């Protein structure tokens, strides 16, 4: 089966959510790492819980609410201006170092983003990274008002690109997204930036701090569905995965 | 408005999910605490993600899958027998010390459990604690094939007890459950076993280990909806809350 489109998750896949730590640490010295992990954990939880409750709000709202929760848990005060400024760091995330080169080497296939981010967040993110020419099609789940892994989110790919699921290679580092995309019918390439043995060793060695806990909770294949079709250690490996297969 | 029924969440509210640590520590010395936290985190995540994907499996399946994920992340081997034995610890959770006395002092109101647990898990749990006479009505969301906070789960209360939401006091320690129950229309009493200031101090003092991280992530009021109507520090305070109000 020919792959006609390569569709990327954004947060955690093309863009490093950990890069908000610069600003969280600047705003709250000594607490930046902890804020970064709790914030990201709650941001996704809120997208899931709002979906289950039938109370959709866009990812900018969810991102700010998760940050508010996080600062509240830590007993930190932030006025609306500071909260907004910190939240805005999700719009200026650093791309992974190999993201641009990967996008430039997809062999002429259509490239798109399918992300939880709101249209405005994704526009800012892509512009900030200078990726507008590399990945012209940016799909926000906001059009479906359903977050990943709800199948209505993944259905946007065919609706917008006209490419059926069987001809899509979906690329993500997020376990819930692997499960949702596989179930939906995409071929899935998972980015595994930390080898399982390395994570296990880190957990065994201890002490297990927030960043390790985050990786233990959110960067592995989930036990809720089919495994990914391919696992690669970095975006840099994607072009050779694409060119080295029969489908190429 | 008169309160006719008091409906309790089970895991984390009447029963202490942390009590699985005895068995996890026995099975994997030195790792029991970490296993306990990751397992509980993933158990709920899987209930949410399966709901979003439209792939319901009962809580026993979800509980075992979450345990399998956890042991896998830590690089620990467990055969099917050991995994089953550890998972079974969710069926023998310790009730909180004040749970029995609380249930015995509800002033003649109907008392029920509404829980994510499968019917078999809940039957085992209630029998193990000796609560069968204290709380005769045990509702599993399995009948709706929808986990909390999906409104279909909460709708089981009226369907089974015949008590409309406005006459239900729902009692839970879980933030997602507070949000879901409030949105559904119940009056909600939240159990807050750790004061916010104490949690904030613990987070500020560091180092933040897995148990602290769990509490930071899962024991506070979520920023996704209305706050609870009442917050009490323990189940022991519930009888006086009930008798001290106009509704009593």
């Amino acid at each position: 089966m020919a792959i006609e489109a390569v569709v990327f998750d954004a947060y955690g896949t093309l863009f490093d959510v950990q890069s908000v730590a610069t600003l969280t640490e600047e705003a709250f010295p000594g607490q930046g790492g902890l804020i970064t992990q709790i914030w990201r954990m709650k941001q996704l939880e809120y997208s899931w819980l709002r979906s289950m409750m039938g109370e959709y709000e866009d990812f900018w709202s969810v991102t700010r609410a998760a940050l508010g929760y996080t600062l509240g848990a830590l007993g930190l005060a932030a006025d609306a201006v500071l909260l907004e400024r910190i939240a805005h760091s999700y719009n200026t995330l650093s791309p992974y170092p190999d993201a641009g080169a990967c996008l430039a080497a997809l062999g002429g296939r259509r490239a798109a983003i399918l992300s939880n981010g709101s249209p405005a967040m994704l526009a800012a993110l892509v512009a900030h990274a200078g990726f507008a020419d590399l990945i012209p099609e940016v799909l926000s789940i906001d059009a479906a008002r359903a977050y990943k892994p709800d199948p209505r989110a993944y259905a946007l790919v065919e609706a917008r690109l006209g490419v059926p699921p069987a001809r899509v290679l979906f690329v993500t580092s997020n376990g819930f997204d692997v499960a949702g995309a596989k179930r939906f019918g995409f071929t899935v390439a998972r980015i595994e930036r930390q080898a399982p043995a390395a994570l296990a060793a880190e957990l065994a060695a201890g002490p297990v701090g927030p960043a390790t806990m985050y990786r233990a909770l959110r960067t592995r294949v989930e036990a809720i569905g089919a495994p990914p079709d391919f696992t690669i250690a970095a975006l840099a490996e994607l072009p050779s995965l694409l060119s080295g297969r029969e489908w190429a």
Side-chain angles (χ1 to χ4, degrees), chain A:
Chain A
M1 178 63 74
I3 293 295
E4 293 177 15
V6 184
V7 180
F8 293 84
D9 169 55
Y11 303 111
T13 298
L14 291 175
F15 301 93
D16 185 359
V17 294
Q18 299 292 324
S19 62
V20 305
T22 305
L23 189 53
T24 55
E25 179 65 20
E26 182 191 305
F28 298 104
Q31 309 262 47
L34 179 58
I35 292 168
T36 298
Q37 307 315 328
I38 296 178
W39 183 14
R40 173 63 173 163
M41 290 290 299
K42 298 309 288 190
Q43 180 195 45
L44 283 171
E45 282 190 10
Y46 286 178
S47 75
W48 303 335
L49 293 169
R50 283 197 164 278
S51 297
M52 287 183 71
M53 294 194 295
E55 297 239 314
Y56 179 79
E57 287 201 8
D58 79 12
F59 208 56
W60 183 236
S61 168
V62 161
T63 297
R64 283 178 301 172
L67 176 59
Y69 173 99
T70 303
L71 300 181
L74 274 69
L76 300 172
D79 60 23
V81 173
L82 178 58
L83 193 133
E84 192 85 2
R85 192 165 70 87
I86 298 174
H88 188 69
S89 62
Y90 259 89
N91 296 341
T92 57
L93 296 175
S94 305
Y96 283 100
D98 50 354
C102 169
L103 292 175
L106 299 177
R109 288 178 189 79
R110 292 176 74 174
I113 283 173
L114 175 71
S115 168
N116 279 339
S118 69
M121 291 174 79
L122 294 174
L125 198 56
V126 168
H128 182 263
F131 284 177
D133 292 338
L134 291 170
I135 195 153
E137 306 196 85
V138 178
L139 311 182
S140 165
I141 64 77
D142 189 67
R145 296 176 64 86
Y147 286 107
K148 298 190 280 185
D150 186 312
R152 290 172 294 174
Y154 300 107
L156 286 170
V157 172
E158 185 166 10
R160 295 296 173 87
L161 305 187
V163 180
R167 300 193 173 200
V168 169
L169 179 67
F170 190 82
V171 183
T172 183
S173 71
N174 290 297
F176 72 92
D177 205 15
V178 168
K182 269 302 290 178
R183 180 187 178 280
F184 186 75
F186 293 143
T187 299
V188 176
R190 174 177 163 254
I191 310 295
E192 177 180 83
R193 292 201 173 86
Q194 181 177 32
L199 175 60
E202 187 178 325
L203 289 163
V208 176
T212 304
M213 195 70 174
Y214 177 81
R215 285 198 302 280
L217 289 166
R218 291 287 176 80
T219 65
R220 285 180 47 88
V221 175
E222 301 293 357
I224 51 171
D229 299 282
F230 306 100
T231 297
I232 55 180
L235 291 167
E237 297 178 16
L238 192 67
S240 62
L241 174 70
L242 275 166
S243 64
R245 308 285 311 177
E246 278 185 19
W247 66 37

